[in-house]
Amino acid sequence: MVLDKEIEKKVVDQADIKTIIKRLGKEVSKDYYDKYPILVGLLKGCMPFMGDFIKVLDFHLELGFMDVSSYHGGVQSHIDVRIEKDLSMPVRDRHILIVEDIVDSGRTLHAVIELLKQRGAKSVQVCTLLDKPSGRKIPYSPAYIGKEIPNLFVVGYGLDYQERFRNLPYVGVLKPEVYSEEDRILTNQSDT
Ligand code: PRP
């Protein structure tokens, strides 16, 4: 495989992902089966996870998408959060479940949750595949967490490095030589 060769180690493999999605599906179904929620996916990272996740949810729901950017291509989370694409439906009096691939600094979620609350959402919760609590700059605990990971820069299953590796079917860590010189220094710093 082409992408496989650039991965140093797997952090969450395909079997893990399947097990996690099954468990999250049960937890979310128990809480939302009678709430007709809007599941809001944050593009682009949510795509593979959200695609697999909704298939285990056997209740009525709507899908919405937003594109909110915080990383701008590299390995470090920037302070800016930009709304590139907004939801196409009103959220007033609706239950919202945000679907994320990863929560790192918490900045993206902070911005999106505030916005949806301002717009009158009845409730706003988060279901994330990965949680990296060591990266947190704004305190936040998602209601539904697939797996907590240490302070590693991970790619795959939606997560990118410079827009690549989103199509990897598992989550892993890149080999050091894949990074640009500048990012290699930053990655080493964040691992310590
Ligand atoms: C990534 C990821 C989360 C966010 C988490 O998105 O998908 O949405 O960063 O980081 P934070 O907790 O530090 O805000 P990104 O902005 O890179 O866009 P993408 O989904 O298109 O990769």
Side-chain angles (χ1 to χ4, degrees):
M1 264 181 76
V2 176
L3 300 183
D4 241 358
K5 285 190 209 135
E6 302 189 58
I7 302 298
E8 185 160 86
K9 66 170 182 198
K10 290 184 183 180
V11 177
V12 192
D13 67 22
Q14 283 165 275
D16 290 338
I17 291 173
K18 222 175 154 183
T19 309
I20 287 169
I21 287 178
K22 225 171 147 185
R23 172 177 54 81
L24 288 176
K26 278 189 194 149
E27 291 174 19
V28 166
S29 298
K30 191 167 152 270
D31 297 343
Y32 283 89
Y33 73 96
D34 59 349
K35 291 199 165 77
Y36 187 38
I38 305 175
L39 266 64
V40 174
L42 300 189
L43 296 168
K44 307 170 198 159
C46 73
M47 217 196 89
F49 173 49
M50 192 158 176
D52 288 340
F53 182 53
I54 58 171
K55 288 183 267 184
V56 303
L57 302 178
D58 185 19
F59 57 84
H60 290 291
L61 55 83
E62 269 186 75
L63 295 182
F65 294 93
M66 290 175 84
D67 190 353
V68 185
S69 240
S70 67
Y71 278 11
H72 309 303
V75 297
Q76 271 207 331
S77 187
H78 283 224
I79 289 175
D80 302 345
V81 174
R82 273 205 323 250
I83 298 194
E84 315 271 4
K85 239 181 245 135
D86 209 340
L87 278 175
S88 59
M89 73 271 272
V91 298
R92 179 158 299 282
D93 294 330
R94 299 293 302 269
H95 292 285
I96 307 294
L97 183 63
I98 298 172
V99 180
E100 264 285 34
D101 51 350
I102 189 166
V103 183
D104 188 352
S105 72
R107 286 179 183 123
T108 305
L109 278 181
H110 178 74
V112 174
I113 291 169
E114 285 306 303
L115 183 71
L116 297 177
K117 281 185 179 164
Q118 270 173 27
R119 290 179 182 175
K122 204 178 217 168
S123 70
V124 186
Q125 296 290 356
V126 173
C127 177
T128 185
L129 176 70
L130 303 174
D131 187 21
K132 199 200 279 189
S134 56
R136 217 61 108 240
K137 302 285 184 224
I138 298 179
Y140 185 74
S141 297
Y144 308 94
I145 297 170
K147 186 173 174 153
E148 194 174 302
I149 60 163
N151 192 20
L152 295 169
F153 184 77
V154 288
V155 298
Y157 202 64
L159 292 142
D160 73 307
Y161 173 59
Q162 296 182 340
E163 294 300 326
R164 292 175 291 141
F165 299 99
R166 293 190 199 272
N167 52 325
L168 201 66
Y170 56 84
V171 177
V173 174
L174 290 173
K175 287 183 178 164
E177 60 266 29
V178 180
Y179 294 111
S180 68
E181 184 69 24
E182 187 196 359
D183 285 339
R184 201 171 312 154
I185 295 163
L186 291 171
T187 307
N188 285 336
Q189 283 170 352
S190 70
D191 284 355
T192 53

